[in-house]
Amino acid sequence: MVRLKNHPILDFPTGREVVFTFNGKDIKGIEGEPIAAALHAAGVRVLRHSPTLGRARGFFCAIGTCSSCLMTVDGVPNVRVCTEPLKQGMIVETQKGHGHLPIE
Amino acid sequence: MRETDIAVIGAGPAGLAAALACGESGATTLLVDFMDAPGGQLIKQTHKFFGSERQFAGTRGIQIPDIIMDQLSKMPNVALMWGTNASGYYADSGVLTLEDGARFIKAKAKRVIIATGAAEKPLAFENNDLPGVYGAGAVQTLMNVHGVKPGDRVLMVGSGNIGLIVSYQLIQAHVEVVALVEAAGRIGGYLVHAAKLRRAGVPILTSHTVVRALGEETVRAAVVAEVDQSWQVKPGSEREVACDVICLAVGLTPLVDMMWQAGCEMKYVPALGGHVPVRDENMRASNPAVYVAGDAGGVEEASSAMISGEIAGISAARSLGFEVKEADARLAQLKADLAAIRSGPTGEKICAGIKCATVCGGEW
Ligand code: FES
């Protein structure tokens, strides 16, 4: 997948480039864009595996209403990455099953 | 516990308009949205609005949140909470539970205006959970807001205006639209939009549906087939279409979870997108503490959402004894504006739906 350039109508906001990790691998994205957009631009479409059958899941609504896109971000499970803004140094992981809350 | 006269859930067009009306009345108002900024789906609406000046005609959708926020931020009786999920409503006590990522907050509200909007409808077919099966709104958000190409070859499902327009937007973004399938016998949206697709060489397959998606972890193809008049797949008509995105533009459905929680009387109204609360003409639900506004009460568009939001806001404030200047005249004007918006050909269906969802006689 790629980022759109030279769109006939739209200009896209260009933010600061940041680096985050996806399953341990460094990926570049734009600060403040949803994590899912950065992943998609990098060709990542599988965001988690379902709890019972382990089926691959990507995003579906991209506006935070369907919960298809839950991932583990900085150790916190069930983050809706379609709306969660990307920050420098974030640790993003595909989630298997329900995930566990890090409770001290 | 936090207390407020009125809580407004959702800061899209309906919630913003509702909060503004509540704020003007002097009622303490709490406006909550799970996103980090207000506006809801207005942030995707780059076009100028039609209609009357009262509903921002001539203004681009993306500019409206700022205009309303400018007024709200000057009202000391209005509190704003972004990045906050309204996770529950306890109808017996009027307590809302809110969660802002770090804290769990309880808020007691005398009235709640539910303006939670709508969600993309899925479509039932084999493997419809594969990554690459995306809602049309998602494709639009990814492409038009974030500038990321949703895929290389898209199969569009649904020929309503959304399906047609998003297909054309994909082509503008240099994405191939391999075909558009529509289960009905004819195109649902405006023919001007369909004509653009035809000129771009996109096959429009009416009386066709998707039977299954193919692929291991992501979509690599779709199997489409012809359907007969009773929507049954014609045997032997199945064929494979290579694509990496199956884009579903089969409509939206109101987000009504909180209204079920509130014990509101609900009704299934297909013309409005699914289950909706039964309401009176002032948007009050069967639970007298609850009002509904915008798409949560029936899927329409942003202008009507702002109007129903304002109606709900004025009515909720009035029900608590707050004075709203020229309330009766404003309500009458708003209802006339709504009727005008719903007067077009698509409005007929909406009007029938609204009638079906409105309590008998228009009053509880
Ligand atoms: S894709 Fe629907 S919540 Fe993220």
Side-chain angles (χ1 to χ4, degrees):
Chain A
M1 304 310 139
V2 284
R3 290 188 188 271
L4 295 167
K5 286 178 212 111
N6 310 325
H7 192 280
I9 297 171
L10 300 168
D11 285 323
F12 299 109
T14 44
R16 181 167 81 101
E17 198 177 82
V18 292
V19 179
F20 66 104
T21 69
F22 167 67
N23 290 346
K25 216 172 65 214
D26 279 358
I27 291 189
K28 283 185 193 139
I30 296 169
E31 186 171 44
E33 71 178 345
I35 297 171
L39 288 173
H40 202 85
V44 176
R45 304 217 280 168
V46 178
L47 307 178
R48 69 175 171 113
H49 288 89
S50 67
T52 313
L53 298 174
R55 290 178 60 91
R57 289 278 189 278
F59 62 78
F60 177 68
C61 74
I63 57 167
T65 58
C66 76
S67 297
S68 182
C69 64
L70 306 179
M71 297 182 86
T72 302
V73 178
D74 291 335
V76 178
N78 303 322
V79 175
R80 289 176 296 201
V81 294
C82 69
T83 56
E84 189 67 26
L86 181 67
K87 294 191 192 86
Q88 166 72 31
M90 268 182 161
I91 301 167
V92 179
E93 293 164 296
T94 42
Q95 183 171 320
K96 271 205 164 52
H98 298 296
H100 295 280
L101 262 187
I103 297 171
E104 297 100 64
Chain B
M1 179 157 37
R2 210 181 158 123
E3 296 199 3
T4 184
D5 291 320
I6 303 169
V8 181
I9 312 302
L16 285 171
L20 190 59
C22 297
E24 283 167 351
S25 77
T28 54
T29 305
L30 174 65
L31 175 60
V32 180
D33 197 284
F34 82 96
M35 292 292 280
D36 288 329
Q41 298 314 302
L42 285 172
I43 60 159
K44 277 193 285 206
Q45 310 207 344
T46 49
H47 60 279
K48 290 185 181 158
F49 277 40
F50 307 138
S52 107
E53 224 169 278
R54 288 181 295 277
Q55 280 83 46
F56 299 95
T59 306
R60 290 182 197 280
I62 40 173
Q63 299 165 329
I64 294 172
D66 283 347
I67 299 172
I68 298 183
M69 279 308 298
D70 187 51
Q71 300 178 60
L72 285 179
S73 57
K74 291 185 190 123
M75 296 176 175
N77 54 323
V78 176
L80 308 167
M81 288 175 89
W82 309 145
T84 303
N85 283 303
S87 56
Y89 177 63
Y90 295 79
D92 51 351
S93 55
V95 171
L96 283 161
T97 51
L98 309 170
E99 169 267 308
D100 71 357
R103 293 170 308 161
F104 196 64
I105 305 151
K106 287 191 285 184
K108 196 175 165 85
K110 296 190 188 116
R111 298 286 182 269
V112 181
I113 299 175
I114 297 175
T116 40
E120 201 95 43
K121 270 188 197 165
L123 187 69
F125 57 85
E126 196 180 320
N127 284 338
N128 71 352
D129 59 342
L130 272 185
V133 178
Y134 299 146
V139 164
Q140 217 179 11
T141 305
L142 197 68
M143 167 170 77
N144 294 357
V145 181
H146 306 300
V148 174
K149 222 170 152 176
D152 292 320
R153 283 183 310 276
V154 176
L155 174 74
M156 184 64 65
V157 184
S159 72
N161 282 325
I162 305 260
L164 297 174
I165 290 169
V166 174
S167 294
Y168 192 67
Q169 291 176 342
L170 281 161
I171 294 166
Q172 283 182 321
H174 305 294
V175 176
E176 187 189 348
V177 180
V178 290
L180 184 150
V181 298
E182 165 59 60
R186 58 187 180 86
I187 292 164
Y190 296 137
L191 292 179
V192 270
H193 297 315
K196 280 190 193 170
L197 290 186
R198 284 245 166 81
R199 279 199 295 276
V202 176
I204 298 180
L205 310 173
T206 50
S207 301
H208 274 72
T209 191
V210 183
V211 248
R212 100 180 50 89
L214 301 175
E216 286 305 314
E217 289 257 285
T218 59
V219 171
R220 66 167 174 78
V223 176
V224 301
E226 208 178 329
V227 292
D228 62 23
Q229 275 165 355
S230 49
W231 313 104
Q232 299 305 306
V233 169
K234 287 193 186 167
S237 69
E238 297 191 359
R239 65 190 153 105
E240 207 176 301
V241 180
C243 58
D244 57 356
V245 172
I246 298 173
C247 181
L248 302 183
V250 292
L252 299 170
T253 188
L255 280 168
V256 292
D257 312 61
M258 198 163 259
M259 274 154 317
W260 286 110
Q261 283 188 340
C264 297
E265 185 185 335
M266 305 292 285
K267 207 164 178 183
Y268 185 72
V269 184
L272 299 179
H275 279 97
V276 292
V278 179
R279 80 298 300 268
D280 67 10
E281 283 180 344
N282 292 324
M283 304 312 288
R284 192 177 208 167
S286 66
N287 176 337
V290 176
Y291 289 75
V292 64
D295 277 3
V299 174
E300 290 184 70
E301 41 68 64
S303 301
S304 44
M306 285 188 280
I307 301 176
S308 70
E310 194 173 340
I311 293 175
I314 293 173
S315 311
R318 269 229 288 197
S319 75
L320 292 171
F322 288 94
E323 186 112 13
V324 178
K325 256 187 280 155
E326 290 167 39
D328 288 318
R330 261 173 83 185
L331 285 174
Q333 180 66 60
L334 289 163
K335 287 173 193 172
D337 288 346
L338 258 189
I341 287 180
R342 292 170 181 159
S343 63
T346 39
E348 238 169 75
K349 208 178 100 191
I350 300 276
C351 284
I354 299 282
K355 200 169 161 212
C356 186
T358 304
V359 65
C360 212
E363 265 177 83
W364 288 108

